[in-house]
Amino acid sequence: MGKYHHGDVRNVLLQQAETILTDEGPSGLSLRRLARLTGVSEAAPYRHFDGKDGILAAVAIAALERFAAQLEAVADTTEQHEERIMALGAAYVRFAVENPQHFRLIFGRERPPLDQYPELRDAADNAFDVLQRAVTSVDRKAEMTLAEAASAYNRALAAWSRAHGIAMLVIDRMIVPPVDQDLSDFVLGLLAEDLTIPEST
Amino acid sequence: MGKYHHGDVRNVLLQQAETILTDEGPSGLSLRRLARLTGVSEAAPYRHFDGKDGILAAVAIAALERFAAQLEAVADTTEQHEERIMALGAAYVRFAVENPQHFRLIFGRERPPLDQYPELRDAADNAFDVLQRAVTSVDRKAEMTLAEAASAYNRALAAWSRAHGIAMLVIDRMIVPPVDQDLSDFVLGLLAEDLTIPEST
DNA sequence: CTTTAATGTTAACAAAGTTAACATAAGAAA
DNA sequence: TTTCTTATGTTAACTTTGTTAACATTAAAG
């Protein structure tokens, strides 16, 4: 009975972990259950990953790479600067809504410690670099004064935190986007919203 | 030996749970450890709470009440509408920074299900009502047209999500507030930041 | 004083993460 | 080919946790 060495267990485990995580989130992912579902012994995953955090890190890295790629695609296809900021915000929220568990894994407390998984740290840094480059228009940085650069950085933080807040509140169902409106339009509306007091007529 | 009935175990448990949660977060709070630290048998907490979720719910309710009280205090002492929105945002972030674990408990996945703890749901509803009332200036609602009311609601969502995003990214250390600046000033700066493109000089 | 409800206790169970000890397969070295 | 080593699996154990059941004691109601 060739139960030993059934091929690339590592990838099958990762794939299965991806499925479980999508359905039940990081805390619902049990290594033992994962092993059983994969049809392998309960200790087998430890041959391929550094325990549970190791698997979560691997899934998080893959998620961050998809996230970064989607953001970059949007940034690359949007010429106008302001428009690009908005489009990035919408893409950011869209990723969160379409991949809530992955989004939570990327940002939440279940994320393995960055300093123990250098590749995870790199993946995270890269994704946020994409954001920041796109928002601060790095291609013009050479011409910027210090004050301009500082202002650009603040604008990046503002844009990021707005998108992040919307994403979080939506996936936590504290905010329910209107069903009769496109998600992007809803997000763009919130991003563009101006908090200064409207003129009293 | 009067080991039985040492007084109000419930409150001692709650207090101890509060301490543990502050240090280690909801997932670090183990019922058994809590019982041991409290000097009571490991099953005793079940006499006073509906399991782990019950304790978390109790802590979350208390936290939400403090949260709401702090927001309300700020809302009440700020006259000007725009200024009030900003001040609320700063207070929102301040609570998160000063009580990161409680903030996470209120919003995160470890929060017990609202539909199983009606008091928790009430506490949450109340806190967000305080926010929304303050932002939409409910005292003028009678004079509003439908369009104005919709716009006010959108402004409330925008303000909320901005504060929430800053709060989350700061407590997750994705954003590190400048050490040489007051936290509120930093937050107010981000809230006021305008994403429209700056004039090219 | 008796009865009962509240509150504690100990003991057990299942599930999870993890590690150790052992088994087998595959490939390198002889 | 035969042997040695490494990678990969397996089983079995240990610890911690959440939870419940069965039993004990106290406080209060009747």
Side-chain angles (χ1 to χ4, degrees), chain B residues 5 9 40-41 43 47-48:
Chain B
H5 284 188
V9 180
V40 85
S41 90
R47 295 292 169 197
H48 300 276

Side-chain angles (χ1 to χ4, degrees), chain B residues 88-105:
Chain B
L88 272 174
Y92 191 101
V93 176
R94 181 172 301 282
F95 179 89
V97 169
E98 288 174 353
N99 313 275
Q101 306 287 17
H102 292 81
F103 189 79
R104 281 197 251 271
L105 175 59

Side-chain angles (χ1 to χ4, degrees), chain A residues 34-112:
Chain A
L34 170 61
R36 285 192 297 263
L37 288 181
T38 310
V40 86
S41 90
E42 296 186 333
Y46 289 86
R47 295 291 171 197
H48 300 276
F49 297 95
D50 178 20
K52 182 164 182 173
D53 270 2
I55 294 189
L56 288 181
V59 175
I61 288 169
L64 275 164
E65 284 166 355
R66 275 187 296 141
F67 188 33
Q70 290 183 20
L71 292 179
E72 202 146 28
V74 167
D76 287 351
T77 59
T78 316
E79 286 293 319
Q80 186 56 36
H81 183 81
E82 180 185 0
E83 191 189 340
R84 182 167 45 193
I85 293 179
M86 296 298 182
L88 271 174
Y92 191 103
V93 176
R94 183 172 297 283
F95 179 88
V97 169
E98 288 174 353
N99 311 275
Q101 307 287 17
H102 292 81
F103 190 80
R104 280 197 251 272
L105 175 60
I106 289 174
F107 287 102
R109 228 83 12 241
E110 289 117 323
R111 180 190 60 200

